[in-house]
Amino acid sequence: MIFVTVGVQLPFDRLVGAVDTWAGTRRRSDVVAQIGSSKLVPKHIRYQATMTPTEFRRCVTDATAVVAHAGMGSIITALELGKPILIMPRRAAFGEHRNDHQLSTSRLMAEQNIVTVAEDEGELIKLLDRIESLGRSAEISSHAGAQLIGRISAFIAEIDRGR
């Protein structure tokens, strides 16, 4: 199963539409999506607007791959569960977000080979055609490591000494 998620804050019809078209032309019946407040009504994929956190996590767990906006919650959940994730960032120019922070997020993560990024619908379709070959993500912990906790503690102590 391929799980698609666009979050719940704003519509992302461009991503939902591209995946729905792809699923229809490829005769894929294994696509499940959380489409948020999308105005688009998918014709070829199973979907619902929202999910509980438990439903969302179960869909990611059951998925062979995740397709998402460049939202950190979606990315982190996929990485925690070791799932390949293909992201397409929302664009402010298309009214999909208030700014282009998702472009920055996706580029930084792509440079580190953490995610696969599609810059637009055409690239998304090409990557969907080979989604099974994306490979698993390295699983990350759901908790901060000792090194990060130590650095944060040292930072806070330094601020306290400066008061």
Side-chain angles (χ1 to χ4, degrees), residues 1-5 16 19-20 23-24 28-35 41-49 51 59 62-63:
M1 181 253 293
I2 296 170
F3 179 57
V4 179
T5 179
V16 173
V19 173
D20 189 50
R28 296 289 297 247
S29 61
D30 62 338
V31 182
V32 175
Q34 174 274 311
I35 65 168
V41 178
K43 296 176 182 145
H44 308 286
I45 60 177
R46 290 177 285 147
Y47 68 92
Q48 58 192 75
M51 295 180 165
C59 282
D62 293 347

Side-chain angles (χ1 to χ4, degrees), residues 4 6-7 62 67 69 82 97-98 100 110 117 119-120 125 132-133 141:
V4 179
V6 300
D62 293 347
V67 178
H69 64 134
H97 223 305
R98 295 173 292 284
D100 280 329
V117 178
E119 294 289 334
D120 58 35
I125 297 292
E132 282 83 10
S133 67
S141 173

Side-chain angles (χ1 to χ4, degrees), residues 83-147:
K83 300 297 177 170
I85 182 165
L86 169 57
I87 61 173
M88 187 169 89
R90 293 173 181 270
R91 303 288 303 271
F94 300 134
E96 297 164 346
H97 223 305
R98 295 173 292 284
N99 59 44
D100 280 329
H101 72 276
Q102 287 199 358
L103 283 172
S104 300
T105 298
S106 63
R107 287 182 182 141
L108 177 65
M109 293 197 155
E111 287 170 6
Q112 297 177 41
N113 295 316
I114 295 171
V115 301
T116 302
V117 178
E119 294 289 334
D120 58 35
E121 301 95 296
E123 192 173 359
L124 181 66
I125 297 292
K126 288 177 186 170
L127 290 166
L128 283 167
D129 280 338
R130 58 184 194 88
I131 196 158
E132 282 83 10
S133 67
L134 291 183
R136 292 179 55 88
S137 301
E139 290 183 37
I140 62 170
S141 173
S142 60
H143 304 289
Q147 184 180 14

Side-chain angles (χ1 to χ4, degrees), residues 25-75:
T25 59
R26 304 318 189 263
R27 291 183 167 75
R28 296 289 297 247
S29 61
D30 62 338
V31 182
V32 175
Q34 174 274 311
I35 65 168
S37 57
S38 179
K39 306 275 185 275
L40 183 113
V41 178
K43 296 176 182 145
H44 308 286
I45 60 177
R46 290 177 285 147
Y47 68 92
Q48 58 192 75
T50 61
M51 295 180 165
T52 66
T54 302
E55 289 173 311
F56 181 88
R57 193 164 184 91
R58 186 178 62 245
C59 282
V60 176
T61 299
D62 293 347
T64 55
V66 176
V67 178
H69 64 134
M72 289 309 300
S74 300
I75 294 169

